[in-house]
Amino acid sequence: MARIIVITSGKGGVGKTTTSAALAMGLAQRGKRTVVIDFDVGLRNLDLIMGCERRVVYDFINVINGEANLNQALIRDKRCDHLYVLPASQTRDKDALTKEGVERVLTQLSEDYDFVVCDSPAGIEHGANMAMYFADDAVVVTNPEVSSVRDSDRMLGILSSRSRRAENGDEPIREYLLLTRYDPQRVANGEMLSVDDVQEILSLHLLGVVPESKAVLNASNAGVPVILDRESDAGQAYNDMVSRYLGEDVPHRFLNPEKKGFLSRLFKG
Amino acid sequence: MGLLDYFISSRSKGTANVAKERLQILVAHDRAARDQPSYLPQLQEEILAVIRKYVDVDLSAVSVNYEQEDSHEVLELNIVLPDTIHQRA
Ligand SMILES: Nc1ncnc2c1ncn2[C@@H]1O[C@H](COP(=O)(O)OP(=O)(O)O)[C@@H](O)[C@H]1O
Ligand SMILES: [Mg+2]
């Protein structure tokens, strides 16, 4: 039985796809059989972040409609044996994601994999609802910014009322907070909400804090999940996140500005 | 960061605390709305329709508040009538 993890946020552009790619790769590198599914029908881009866009033949909607079987649609990652990508359709409408169809695909994947990571589209509409409905765990990706925190809170309301677990009265979805695009220097200057500020409002289990990092754009340019950039701050933060998700007790890093001497702060900034 | 900016930024408080205060209010408001029974908006509309048969008021004149207290729920209805009440023909 796979565990189904949704990467969600409400707000767009906060780092869901970056996080989905990182979490899926990190789990697979630790030997877990993992599939990552792009639920952003019509705006697929997980395949770009994973660097497998030229190998897409069939997609999630083809499988739901019975036009292809799962094995035809799943793309095996070239860097990691245990990782597969199920791309979204570029041309169809979100309504093609039927609840029965999604359930059938997830049930089938559950038999062969340890983790299914669902990359949610933005919004609180049908696509986002389908991505979170069957989840066991939810990673709520949030930026330290008013609209993002607010949307995350709304998403928490939806997770606890409109998911399969909520409707069946099962144990609730486990909710985790991932704070991304965090700029410790701006936090220190009082210009940006701190982890503690955000936690005071959302009070979730903190899975990690990913700093604002140039490595993320570099990684997406190259089609390599940033978690593979072991030298980078974001890559390391994502690695810590995966370890924490799997139950390891890893201290949080990148919460404080890099210590600079007084003079270098004056002249470099 | 220039010399001046350095001293200014280390002194000024920044806007994060404003963000936090706004968020606390917003989120409290959202959560209260979320915990309301789902019939409230409809109830508000129907009450408004009834009132409009007699008095010319707009949507904002009728507010329906729902609060949950320890052992009971309070449904509070607030109707603001215009200064001069125009009877409808
Ligand atoms: N930690 C980060 N540092 C810098 N840029 C980031 C970071 N995380 C995400 N981004 C950038 O933000 C944009 C949106 O990221 P993406 O993962 O596509 O978000 P979403 O899937 O939530 O829309 C992308 O351009 C990405 O490169
Ligand atoms: Mg995305």
Side-chain angles (χ1 to χ4, degrees), chain A residues 43 102 237 246:
Chain A
L43 280 176
V102 173
L246 292 174

Side-chain angles (χ1 to χ4, degrees), chain A residues 17 19-20 23 26 31 40-41 92 132 137 140 156 171-173 180 184 188 193 196 216-217 224 237 244 255 263:
Chain A
T17 300
T19 300
S20 299
L23 177 60
D40 208 344
V41 174
R92 309 289 179 93
M132 67 87 188
D137 298 334
V140 180
L156 291 170
E171 193 188 310
I173 294 176
T180 59
L193 292 165
D196 292 341
V216 175
L217 180 59
V224 178
R244 277 185 213 108
L255 299 184
L263 282 179

Side-chain angles (χ1 to χ4, degrees), chain A residues 145-146 149-150 153-154 157 189-193 197 200-202 262 265-269, chain B residues 1-3 6-7 9 12-17 19-20 22-24 26-27 30-31 34:
Chain A
E145 189 222 327
V146 175
V149 177
R150 184 205 195 174
D153 188 68
R154 295 178 65 187
N189 293 350
E191 298 168 6
M192 184 181 267
L193 292 165
D197 291 338
E200 223 178 281
I201 288 161
L202 298 179
F262 177 74
R265 287 181 67 177
L266 278 186
F267 295 111
K268 265 172 60 203
Chain B
M1 212 192 273
L3 185 57
Y6 177 72
F7 287 110
S9 80
S12 72
K13 281 226 65 188
T15 49
N17 51 345
K20 186 177 165 190
R22 290 176 64 215
L23 257 172
Q24 280 166 330
L26 262 175
V27 165
D30 287 347
R31 286 179 187 166
R34 189 151 92 204

Side-chain angles (χ1 to χ4, degrees), chain B residues 41 44-45 48 52 57-63 78:
Chain B
Q44 178 167 14
E45 249 171 61
L48 185 68
R52 274 186 178 162
V57 294
D58 65 17
L59 181 66
S60 61
V62 176
S63 67
N78 213 339

Side-chain angles (χ1 to χ4, degrees), chain B residues 11-73:
Chain B
R11 240 186 306 132
S12 72
K13 281 226 65 188
T15 49
N17 51 345
V18 182
K20 186 177 165 190
E21 278 165 31
R22 290 176 64 215
L23 257 172
Q24 280 166 330
I25 294 166
L26 262 175
V27 165
H29 193 269
D30 287 347
R31 286 179 187 166
R34 189 151 92 204
D35 296 335
Q36 289 179 345
S38 55
Y39 60 74
L40 275 199
Q42 175 112 34
L43 178 73
Q44 178 167 14
E45 249 171 61
E46 288 182 22
I47 289 172
L48 185 68
V50 171
I51 293 172
R52 274 186 178 162
K53 281 191 194 167
Y54 305 94
V55 190
D56 198 14
V57 294
D58 65 17
L59 181 66
S60 61
V62 176
S63 67
V64 180
N65 272 318
Y66 175 87
E67 255 165 62
Q68 210 148 17
E69 291 175 7
D70 298 337
S71 58
H72 60 285
E73 289 98 56

